[in-house]
Amino acid sequence: MPIKRIAVIGAGQMGAGIAHICAQANYEVLLQDKNESALTKGITTIEQSLTRAVQKERITEIEKERTLANITTTASLSEITEVDLAIEAVIEQLDVKQNIFASLDEQLHDKAILATNTSALPITEIASATTRPEKVIGMHFMNPVPVMRLVEIIRAIQTDDATYETVVSVTKQLHKTAVTVKDFPGFVSNRVLMPLINEAIFTVYEGIATIEDVDAVMKLGMNHPMGPLQLADFIGLDTCLYIMEVLYEGFNDPKYRPCPLLRQYVQAGWYGRKSGRGFYTYT
Ligand code: NAD
């Protein structure tokens, strides 16, 4: 099915980035968030990112204006009706995502595809909240979306071939590389990455090294572009905790237990870069 109009639900770090690249690839984009302030912030982030791209001569001023003109916003989920593909990027909570999917299922035409950007929740369970589970799929973008080339495509057990092929084709239109994985906790990306981040937090929790030194070991010793604690701040510590909980419960294996220090930071509202404080402070 040809895709013309895309809705992006959630205008946070990921949703704004997804709306940006979809609009730049000339799709008509409807960006929705329940918070008006998140919509304003999301559009500002997109504008700033496009302005930087113009300054670096990667795009023209005309392309920037065209991209911005392709995006409209709304705070109301019920206004999402005439779209062919909805990409959900709200907080990592199963009940919140399932409620959104159930509403979209009622509002959208029969052929519309429902995708989720979840980091680790079961696509199969999100799909079961709809009457069209064969049209539900995972499109796991990486952060920052305009920069990172990968989209992990996750097929729920119910996803049909037509949905899968359409989403792979959209991914190509977005100039990203699709890698297909099965629907098991954490998929591939977060099953490998999150235990690394969690273990780095344990080394701080146990007083083995300072935050800066843990990051220095991984940057200088392993050639990682960013230390795991800095990366955790960048992803969002709330998101990291949700993912560890999904791995822990999904595999029933104590090796995935979230570090108590991670839990405490989240309880304190220290979510990382987006809240101004995590393992590091941000102004
Ligand atoms: P975020 O906190 O920056 O943004 C979430 C947004 O969702 C907020 O603006 C919030 O207002 C909005 N929201 C919450 N409930 C809503 C609802 N019912 N309806 C509409 N909007 C709602 O989070 P994020 O980092 O953008 O993560 C979003 C999703 O993407 C999560 O599922 C996360 O696991 C996934 N993800 C995150 C990363 C990352 O590095 N941060 C990477 C890949 C995937």
Side-chain angles (χ1 to χ4, degrees):
M1 188 193 62
I3 304 289
K4 268 189 74 186
R5 294 202 75 203
I6 298 179
V8 179
I9 300 100
Q13 298 192 94
M14 297 304 293
I18 296 166
H20 172 160
I21 60 161
C22 290
Q24 198 161 352
N26 237 350
Y27 291 104
E28 291 170 43
V29 177
L30 180 55
L31 177 61
Q32 189 270 342
D33 198 294
K34 63 176 188 171
N35 295 322
E36 290 278 3
S37 60
L39 283 171
T40 310
K41 195 173 163 199
I43 293 293
T44 306
T45 306
I46 296 169
E47 269 179 349
Q48 287 170 343
S49 168
L50 288 167
T51 302
R52 277 196 304 275
V54 172
Q55 283 162 354
K56 289 181 183 162
E57 297 184 352
R58 277 197 257 110
I59 62 167
T60 63
E61 185 67 34
I62 293 169
E63 208 175 337
K64 172 188 158 184
E65 294 307 326
R66 199 200 61 213
T67 300
L68 288 171
N70 280 341
I71 306 175
T72 47
T73 61
T74 177
S76 162
L77 190 69
S78 60
E79 278 185 26
I80 302 176
T81 50
E82 306 290 311
V83 303
D84 312 306
L85 167 65
I87 306 176
E88 168 278 315
V90 307
I91 48 165
E92 188 75 345
Q93 280 182 21
L94 184 62
D95 58 336
V96 176
K97 291 186 190 288
Q98 282 187 318
N99 285 337
I100 289 170
F101 273 67
S103 301
L104 292 173
D105 185 33
E106 279 179 17
Q107 291 164 212
L108 298 187
H109 65 74
D110 286 355
K111 292 198 170 117
I113 292 174
L114 309 180
T116 172
N117 183 49
T118 179
S119 300
L121 292 168
I123 315 296
T124 300
E125 211 171 342
I126 295 173
S128 71
T130 73
T131 60
R132 62 178 90 191
E134 72 286 354
K135 293 199 164 46
V136 177
I137 194 161
M139 282 182 92
H140 184 209
F141 292 84
M142 304 292 132
N143 189 10
V145 180
V147 177
M148 304 299 276
R149 287 178 301 158
L150 174 71
V151 182
E152 218 177 11
I153 306 288
I154 307 110
R155 287 185 75 145
I157 199 166
Q158 309 100 317
T159 311
D160 65 18
D161 288 344
T163 300
Y164 168 72
E165 278 151 22
T166 302
V167 162
V168 168
S169 152
V170 170
T171 305
K172 280 193 194 130
Q173 292 295 316
L174 299 175
H175 304 291
K176 304 288 182 196
T177 301
V179 173
T180 307
V181 308
K182 287 189 182 154
D183 185 23
F184 282 91
F187 319 129
V188 170
S189 53
N190 281 316
R191 183 167 172 183
V192 175
L193 175 66
M194 277 306 150
L196 170 79
I197 287 177
N198 195 47
E199 213 52 36
I201 301 171
F202 264 110
T203 62
V204 174
Y205 175 62
E206 292 167 6
I208 292 166
T210 63
I211 292 164
E212 290 77 9
D213 284 348
V214 171
D215 276 350
V217 166
M218 299 307 288
K219 277 194 289 187
L220 305 180
M222 316 296 161
N223 233 2
H224 287 198
M226 200 186 263
L229 300 168
Q230 193 188 355
L231 179 58
D233 273 1
F234 190 66
I235 294 168
L237 301 188
D238 51 340
T239 300
C240 293
L241 179 59
Y242 285 135
I243 296 168
M244 285 312 297
E245 279 169 345
V246 167
L247 292 172
Y248 187 45
E249 283 161 24
F251 290 114
N252 256 321
D253 188 333
K255 79 176 175 186
Y256 297 113
R257 76 270 176 253
C259 178
L261 188 63
L262 172 61
R263 200 179 290 287
Q264 201 172 32
Y265 270 46
V266 173
Q267 284 165 348
W270 297 349
Y271 297 152
R273 204 179 59 143
K274 65 184 167 186
S275 72
R277 177 165 183 178
F279 290 104
Y280 299 89
T281 47
Y282 304 85
T283 48

